[in-house]
Amino acid sequence: DTEVTQTPKHLVMGMTNKKSLKCEQHMGHRAMYWYKQKAKKPPELMFVYSYEKLSINESVPSRFSPECPNSSLLNLHLHALQPEDSALYLCASSHQERYEQYFGPGTRLTVT
Amino acid sequence: GENVEQHPSTLSVQEGDSAVIKCTYSDSASNYFPWYKQELGKRPQLIIDIRSNVGEKKDQRIAVTLNKTAKHFSLHITETQPEDSAVYFCAAREINAGGTSYGKLTFGQGTILTVHP
């Protein structure tokens, strides 16, 4: 398996909801990333996990909570989001942090 | 932190022509420069990359050049085809104070390439 997969593809949630995004890879990569991409903008890094430990948090609001249960899985827990958090959330992985990153298809999130 | 500027923001060419997209970066310690292609509604796809110990890299119709002194790198696409139409992002990977990479990519603002048949 040479792909990064993400579920769900689309998510609509209210500002009081709690939801989670899931990312999975079976390439043996030990670094995983969450990015946020607004329309017509580049991806912006949110979090980096290296060997299942959080190594970078780009000052992301606490309403976004990442979790790395094992080396293949990365979650992003969402709570009390704002409409401006609506975006495409991309997961990526790499062999280690110094190697090339491969992106998943993303979850398109709409906060109402 | 790193800052990456990308030009042009839009580029329109005729099929068969060449296309060149340029990026500059601010942190001379950055050592890895990938290029991603993103079609509408799709994931960013890594198309080519270059490391700071190399000046040029080529893969079929795509090439990337790096000038470390001037801190700029460029993507060259030859014999463009309509399926090359997409948004192209350059990026630079930062090095931390200890001299190792912690995986952070800083992206340019993107170039919308349109190839007309």
Side-chain angles (χ1 to χ4, degrees):
Chain A
D1 191 343
T2 57
E3 256 200 353
V4 179
T5 59
Q6 289 186 244
T7 54
K9 289 185 180 179
H10 302 275
L11 179 62
V12 179
M13 61 185 290
M15 289 190 283
T16 58
N17 291 159
K18 284 185 181 181
K19 295 286 185 183
S20 296
L21 310 184
K22 180 180 171 181
C23 173
E24 203 160 1
Q25 56 86 16
H26 296 287
M27 296 179 279
H29 289 176
R30 302 313 301 268
M32 296 185 77
Y33 312 79
W34 280 116
Y35 287 86
K36 174 182 178 179
Q37 187 178 28
K38 300 283 268 185
K40 300 186 180 180
K41 295 291 186 183
E44 291 182 15
L45 183 67
M46 300 173 72
F47 303 104
V48 179
Y49 272 84
S50 178
Y51 289 85
E52 297 140 62
K53 287 187 169 48
L54 183 65
S55 60
I56 295 181
N57 176 342
E58 287 287 294
S59 302
V60 178
S62 59
R63 58 186 184 267
F64 296 91
S65 175
E67 178 196 20
C68 190
N70 60 56
S71 60
S72 300
L73 194 55
L74 186 66
N75 298 320
L76 186 63
H77 302 297
L78 314 172
H79 172 57
L81 294 193
Q82 304 297 310
E84 58 264 30
D85 296 322
S86 298
L88 180 68
Y89 287 84
L90 292 161
C91 173
S93 72
S94 63
H95 180 58
Q96 292 174 12
E97 287 153 313
R98 66 179 184 273
Y99 290 87
E100 54 274 17
Q101 295 180 24
Y102 296 95
F103 284 86
T107 293
R108 189 159 299 281
L109 174 68
T110 303
V111 182
T112 60
Chain B
E2 178 66 277
N3 183 49
V4 177
E5 295 194 1
Q6 183 172 344
H7 299 281
S9 56
T10 60
L11 180 59
S12 184
V13 300
Q14 289 296 127
E15 182 176 2
D17 288 350
S18 294
V20 180
I21 302 170
K22 299 182 179 182
C23 290
T24 60
Y25 60 99
S26 60
D27 188 350
S28 57
S30 291
N31 69 350
Y32 173 69
F33 308 92
W35 286 88
Y36 286 87
K37 173 185 180 183
Q38 188 173 27
E39 296 175 72
L40 192 63
K42 299 277 183 72
R43 72 186 79 194
Q45 178 191 0
L46 178 67
I47 57 171
I48 197 166
D49 56 13
I50 192 166
R51 298 180 190 274
S52 58
N53 59 347
V54 176
E56 184 174 359
K57 185 176 177 180
K58 193 172 181 181
D59 182 4
Q60 299 184 331
R61 297 186 296 109
I62 295 173
V64 56
T65 57
L66 171 65
N67 183 325
K68 283 194 300 182
T69 304
K71 290 189 284 188
H72 70 69
F73 56 111
S74 300
L75 177 71
H76 305 253
I77 305 174
T78 59
E79 301 171 23
T80 54
Q81 300 165 5
E83 49 265 39
D84 293 330
S85 297
V87 180
Y88 290 80
F89 292 102
C90 65
R93 186 171 62 201
E94 298 184 30
I95 302 296
N96 63 23
T100 58
S101 167
Y102 48 81
K104 180 177 178 179
L105 291 179
T106 299
F107 286 82
Q109 289 300 303
T111 296
I112 302 171
L113 173 64
T114 305
V115 180
H116 299 281

